[in-house]
Amino acid sequence: MTTATSHTLVCTECGQLNRVPAGKALSQGKCGTCGVTLATKKPRDIDGATLSKLMAKDTGMYVLDLWAPWCGPCRMMAPSYAQTAEALGDQVRFFKLNTDENQQAAGRFNIRGIPTLIAFKDGKQAGIQSGAMQKPQLMSWAGQILGIPQG
């Protein structure tokens, strides 16, 4: 089995594709077009068009939070999701998709409840988890699903 020497990451600011060496800290990489950092030390809100591009072209690791503003458990989990993004932001990007504003995009996953987290790795869906979690559970889940060493 061979491992990728680089990953293609979609800049969620301008939509351009960026090649990043495998193992390089995301905070060290910036979009070659707009200069925005590729790391997400804070979760980034995305829309359906950006999600489609991520799913079609991106080969890095990222976690998508499907949520809605009226959802109590979603709001309760938001600080833990942000803390996890801060802790793992050099290795994994963290995105949020408002299911009220992006119903068609959210519908492609056939989810039954929110919040739902979906992890992607190497251009494929790697795992899905429904229900609110606190930071320790989020860290453990992301680590197991994406193969991130826990230290």
Side-chain angles (χ1 to χ4, degrees):
M1 183 170 110
T2 60
T3 57
T5 57
S6 66
H7 292 286
T8 300
L9 304 183
V10 173
C11 174
T12 56
E13 191 69 26
C14 72
Q16 291 302 309
L17 301 179
N18 294 271
R19 190 166 303 274
V20 176
K24 182 177 182 179
L26 293 174
S27 60
Q28 295 177 0
K30 294 190 184 298
C31 176
T33 301
C34 72
V36 168
T37 182
L38 296 171
T40 56
K41 292 287 190 163
K42 293 181 181 171
R44 279 200 192 131
D45 290 308
I46 62 170
D47 60 17
T50 302
L51 175 61
S52 291
K53 190 160 192 174
L54 282 165
M55 291 178 67
K57 305 278 184 188
D58 200 291
T59 62
M61 293 189 294
Y62 60 95
V63 177
L64 176 66
D65 176 15
L66 299 163
W67 73 286
W70 51 263
C71 169
C74 298
R75 290 193 318 268
M76 189 174 75
M77 185 177 78
S80 294
Y81 190 67
Q83 292 166 0
T84 304
E86 176 71 29
L88 298 179
D90 272 340
Q91 301 169 73
V92 182
R93 291 168 300 146
F94 289 82
F95 303 119
K96 295 177 73 70
L97 182 79
N98 182 328
T99 58
D100 282 352
E101 295 175 357
N102 299 280
Q103 292 179 7
Q104 187 173 11
R108 74 186 337 160
F109 298 109
N110 296 317
I111 59 171
R112 301 235 182 255
I114 53 175
T116 293
L117 299 177
I118 304 174
F120 293 84
K121 182 178 181 179
D122 298 326
K124 299 178 185 88
Q125 184 175 317
I128 188 166
Q129 176 70 44
S130 292
M133 293 186 282
Q134 296 300 312
K135 183 184 174 191
Q137 292 83 23
L138 285 164
M139 296 281 293
S140 176
W141 178 77
Q144 289 174 356
I145 295 296
L146 298 172
I148 301 167
Q150 301 292 304

